[in-house]
Every structure is written in C-alpha cells, then in structure tokens.
mmCIF file of all heavy atoms in Angstrom:
data_model
loop_
_atom_site.group_PDB
_atom_site.id
_atom_site.type_symbol
_atom_site.label_atom_id
_atom_site.label_comp_id
_atom_site.label_asym_id
_atom_site.label_seq_id
_atom_site.Cartn_x
_atom_site.Cartn_y
_atom_site.Cartn_z
ATOM 1 N N SER A 1 0.849 -1.198 -0.031
ATOM 2 C CA SER A 1 -0.002 0.003 0.007
ATOM 3 C C SER A 1 0.915 1.241 0.005
ATOM 4 O O SER A 1 2.130 1.126 0.196
ATOM 5 C CB SER A 1 -0.880 0.038 1.241
ATOM 6 O OG SER A 1 -0.114 0.158 2.414
ATOM 7 N N GLU A 2 0.308 2.397 -0.256
ATOM 8 C CA GLU A 2 1.095 3.622 -0.204
ATOM 9 C C GLU A 2 1.717 3.773 1.207
ATOM 10 O O GLU A 2 2.845 4.292 1.288
ATOM 11 C CB GLU A 2 0.198 4.846 -0.534
ATOM 12 C CG GLU A 2 -0.190 4.885 -1.972
ATOM 13 C CD GLU A 2 -0.858 6.240 -2.367
ATOM 14 O OE1 GLU A 2 -0.848 7.143 -1.523
ATOM 15 O OE2 GLU A 2 -1.388 6.340 -3.479
ATOM 16 N N GLU A 3 1.010 3.353 2.212
ATOM 17 C CA GLU A 3 1.532 3.468 3.595
ATOM 18 C C GLU A 3 2.736 2.574 3.783
ATOM 19 O O GLU A 3 3.798 3.018 4.264
ATOM 20 C CB GLU A 3 0.436 3.094 4.608
ATOM 21 C CG GLU A 3 0.891 3.219 6.029
ATOM 22 C CD GLU A 3 -0.150 2.762 7.029
ATOM 23 O OE1 GLU A 3 -0.954 1.867 6.664
ATOM 24 O OE2 GLU A 3 -0.199 3.290 8.157
ATOM 25 N N SER A 4 2.646 1.301 3.401
ATOM 26 C CA SER A 4 3.793 0.373 3.605
ATOM 27 C C SER A 4 4.991 0.765 2.739
ATOM 28 O O SER A 4 6.105 0.584 3.174
ATOM 29 C CB SER A 4 3.354 -1.058 3.366
ATOM 30 O OG SER A 4 2.912 -1.229 2.031
ATOM 31 N N VAL A 5 4.750 1.241 1.526
ATOM 32 C CA VAL A 5 5.819 1.688 0.671
ATOM 33 C C VAL A 5 6.509 2.902 1.287
ATOM 34 O O VAL A 5 7.722 2.999 1.324
ATOM 35 C CB VAL A 5 5.321 2.036 -0.792
ATOM 36 C CG1 VAL A 5 6.432 2.681 -1.575
ATOM 37 C CG2 VAL A 5 4.827 0.774 -1.437
ATOM 38 N N GLY A 6 5.698 3.822 1.810
ATOM 39 C CA GLY A 6 6.267 5.016 2.477
ATOM 40 C C GLY A 6 7.072 4.656 3.689
ATOM 41 O O GLY A 6 8.122 5.225 3.939
ATOM 42 N N GLN A 7 6.588 3.678 4.449
ATOM 43 C CA GLN A 7 7.282 3.240 5.661
ATOM 44 C C GLN A 7 8.598 2.556 5.278
ATOM 45 O O GLN A 7 9.642 2.770 5.950
ATOM 46 C CB GLN A 7 6.431 2.311 6.461
ATOM 47 C CG GLN A 7 5.287 3.026 7.177
ATOM 48 C CD GLN A 7 4.101 2.090 7.482
ATOM 49 O OE1 GLN A 7 4.096 0.923 7.130
ATOM 50 N NE2 GLN A 7 3.140 2.628 8.192
ATOM 51 N N THR A 8 8.593 1.805 4.203
ATOM 52 C CA THR A 8 9.833 1.144 3.730
ATOM 53 C C THR A 8 10.853 2.181 3.309
ATOM 54 O O THR A 8 12.038 2.127 3.648
ATOM 55 C CB THR A 8 9.519 0.198 2.585
ATOM 56 O OG1 THR A 8 8.594 -0.826 3.017
ATOM 57 C CG2 THR A 8 10.778 -0.529 2.079
ATOM 58 N N ILE A 9 10.364 3.159 2.548
ATOM 59 C CA ILE A 9 11.239 4.257 2.101
ATOM 60 C C ILE A 9 11.875 4.982 3.333
ATOM 61 O O ILE A 9 13.058 5.257 3.377
ATOM 62 C CB ILE A 9 10.473 5.273 1.236
ATOM 63 C CG1 ILE A 9 10.099 4.624 -0.101
ATOM 64 C CG2 ILE A 9 11.300 6.555 0.996
ATOM 65 C CD1 ILE A 9 9.134 5.452 -0.938
ATOM 66 N N GLY A 10 11.009 5.276 4.310
ATOM 67 C CA GLY A 10 11.496 5.944 5.502
ATOM 68 C C GLY A 10 12.510 5.199 6.262
ATOM 69 O O GLY A 10 13.524 5.761 6.750
ATOM 70 N N MET A 11 12.344 3.861 6.375
ATOM 71 C CA MET A 11 13.304 3.056 7.102
ATOM 72 C C MET A 11 14.624 2.912 6.343
ATOM 73 O O MET A 11 15.694 2.954 6.944
ATOM 74 C CB MET A 11 12.725 1.686 7.433
ATOM 75 C CG MET A 11 11.737 1.710 8.590
ATOM 76 S SD MET A 11 11.168 0.066 9.099
ATOM 77 C CE MET A 11 9.827 -0.220 7.905
ATOM 78 N N VAL A 12 14.552 2.785 5.058
ATOM 79 C CA VAL A 12 15.783 2.637 4.239
ATOM 80 C C VAL A 12 16.582 3.955 4.250
ATOM 81 O O VAL A 12 17.778 3.932 4.307
ATOM 82 C CB VAL A 12 15.440 2.201 2.777
ATOM 83 C CG1 VAL A 12 16.681 2.313 1.896
ATOM 84 C CG2 VAL A 12 14.940 0.723 2.819
ATOM 85 N N SER A 13 15.855 5.084 4.138
ATOM 86 C CA SER A 13 16.576 6.374 4.051
ATOM 87 C C SER A 13 16.873 6.953 5.441
ATOM 88 O O SER A 13 17.581 7.960 5.533
ATOM 89 C CB SER A 13 15.708 7.390 3.289
ATOM 90 O OG SER A 13 14.447 7.582 3.920
ATOM 91 N N GLY A 14 16.340 6.351 6.520
ATOM 92 C CA GLY A 14 16.545 6.924 7.874
ATOM 93 C C GLY A 14 17.848 6.529 8.449
ATOM 94 O O GLY A 14 17.960 5.545 9.183
ATOM 95 N N ALA A 15 18.908 7.284 8.141
ATOM 96 C CA ALA A 15 20.231 6.976 8.605
ATOM 97 C C ALA A 15 20.303 6.959 10.134
ATOM 98 O O ALA A 15 19.848 7.863 10.779
ATOM 99 C CB ALA A 15 21.250 8.014 8.067
ATOM 100 N N GLY A 16 20.899 5.906 10.686
ATOM 101 C CA GLY A 16 21.073 5.817 12.110
ATOM 102 C C GLY A 16 19.848 5.289 12.879
ATOM 103 O O GLY A 16 19.921 5.088 14.060
ATOM 104 N N GLU A 17 18.737 5.107 12.170
ATOM 105 C CA GLU A 17 17.550 4.644 12.852
ATOM 106 C C GLU A 17 17.374 3.155 12.833
ATOM 107 O O GLU A 17 16.412 2.609 13.332
ATOM 108 C CB GLU A 17 16.303 5.310 12.219
ATOM 109 C CG GLU A 17 16.219 6.801 12.457
ATOM 110 C CD GLU A 17 16.076 7.102 13.959
ATOM 111 O OE1 GLU A 17 15.270 6.457 14.642
ATOM 112 O OE2 GLU A 17 16.808 8.018 14.405
ATOM 113 N N GLY A 18 18.296 2.438 12.233
ATOM 114 C CA GLY A 18 18.206 0.992 12.233
ATOM 115 C C GLY A 18 18.754 0.392 10.946
ATOM 116 O O GLY A 18 19.410 -0.659 10.965
ATOM 117 N N GLU A 19 18.482 1.019 9.837
ATOM 118 C CA GLU A 19 18.929 0.469 8.524
ATOM 119 C C GLU A 19 20.475 0.482 8.480
ATOM 120 O O GLU A 19 21.111 1.515 8.685
ATOM 121 C CB GLU A 19 18.352 1.310 7.402
ATOM 122 C CG GLU A 19 18.834 0.855 6.000
ATOM 123 C CD GLU A 19 18.241 -0.486 5.628
ATOM 124 O OE1 GLU A 19 17.320 -0.959 6.307
ATOM 125 O OE2 GLU A 19 18.732 -1.045 4.663
ATOM 126 N N GLY A 20 21.056 -0.692 8.236
ATOM 127 C CA GLY A 20 22.495 -0.782 8.127
ATOM 128 C C GLY A 20 23.239 -0.971 9.440
ATOM 129 O O GLY A 20 24.395 -1.228 9.467
ATOM 130 N N VAL A 21 22.508 -0.862 10.568
ATOM 131 C CA VAL A 21 23.083 -1.034 11.885
ATOM 132 C C VAL A 21 23.230 -2.546 12.155
ATOM 133 O O VAL A 21 22.278 -3.308 11.942
ATOM 134 C CB VAL A 21 22.241 -0.403 12.977
ATOM 135 C CG1 VAL A 21 22.834 -0.665 14.354
ATOM 136 C CG2 VAL A 21 22.130 1.104 12.722
ATOM 137 N N PRO A 22 24.422 -2.997 12.551
ATOM 138 C CA PRO A 22 24.580 -4.470 12.770
ATOM 139 C C PRO A 22 23.546 -5.004 13.727
ATOM 140 O O PRO A 22 23.288 -4.434 14.803
ATOM 141 C CB PRO A 22 26.006 -4.562 13.393
ATOM 142 C CG PRO A 22 26.714 -3.327 12.861
ATOM 143 C CD PRO A 22 25.682 -2.249 12.777
ATOM 144 N N GLY A 23 22.917 -6.134 13.349
ATOM 145 C CA GLY A 23 21.911 -6.770 14.174
ATOM 146 C C GLY A 23 20.535 -6.174 14.059
ATOM 147 O O GLY A 23 19.577 -6.706 14.650
ATOM 148 N N ALA A 24 20.390 -5.054 13.335
ATOM 149 C CA ALA A 24 19.078 -4.422 13.197
ATOM 150 C C ALA A 24 18.255 -5.239 12.221
ATOM 151 O O ALA A 24 18.742 -5.835 11.283
ATOM 152 C CB ALA A 24 19.223 -2.989 12.688
ATOM 153 N N PRO A 25 16.911 -5.206 12.414
ATOM 154 C CA PRO A 25 16.056 -5.937 11.483
ATOM 155 C C PRO A 25 15.950 -5.233 10.152
ATOM 156 O O PRO A 25 16.174 -4.042 10.040
ATOM 157 C CB PRO A 25 14.704 -5.940 12.199
ATOM 158 C CG PRO A 25 14.718 -4.708 13.011
ATOM 159 C CD PRO A 25 16.142 -4.552 13.467
ATOM 160 N N ARG A 26 15.586 -5.997 9.087
ATOM 161 C CA ARG A 26 15.329 -5.408 7.816
ATOM 162 C C ARG A 26 13.922 -4.788 7.853
ATOM 163 O O ARG A 26 13.070 -5.198 8.619
ATOM 164 C CB ARG A 26 15.394 -6.478 6.735
ATOM 165 C CG ARG A 26 16.754 -7.099 6.498
ATOM 166 C CD ARG A 26 16.687 -8.229 5.528
ATOM 167 N NE ARG A 26 16.055 -7.867 4.277
ATOM 168 C CZ ARG A 26 15.852 -8.758 3.275
ATOM 169 N NH1 ARG A 26 16.251 -10.004 3.409
ATOM 170 N NH2 ARG A 26 15.271 -8.348 2.194
ATOM 171 N N PRO A 27 13.673 -3.739 7.008
ATOM 172 C CA PRO A 27 12.331 -3.210 6.949
ATOM 173 C C PRO A 27 11.252 -4.220 6.731
ATOM 174 O O PRO A 27 10.155 -4.163 7.248
ATOM 175 C CB PRO A 27 12.414 -2.197 5.767
ATOM 176 C CG PRO A 27 13.838 -1.753 5.801
ATOM 177 C CD PRO A 27 14.654 -2.963 6.207
#
C-alpha cells in the first residue's frame, strides 16, 4: 500500500535509525 511503501522508504533512508546497523532488522 502507499503506507507500507512510504514506511519502507522511510526506514531505508533513515540513517542511524536501524537500517544498516549491525543486528538491526530489515524493513
């Protein structure tokens, strides 16, 4: 949905919020 796509975009582009951090979950 537009909501889930937007949330995925936000998590991938949110530096330091979890994406790319060792042990952090994938979106």
Side-chain angles (χ1 to χ4, degrees):
S1 64
E2 289 190 8
E3 182 184 29
S4 61
V5 172
Q7 288 156 355
T8 301
I9 292 170
M11 282 187 277
V12 168
S13 61
E17 290 299 314
E19 178 68 13
V21 177
R26 294 173 54 181

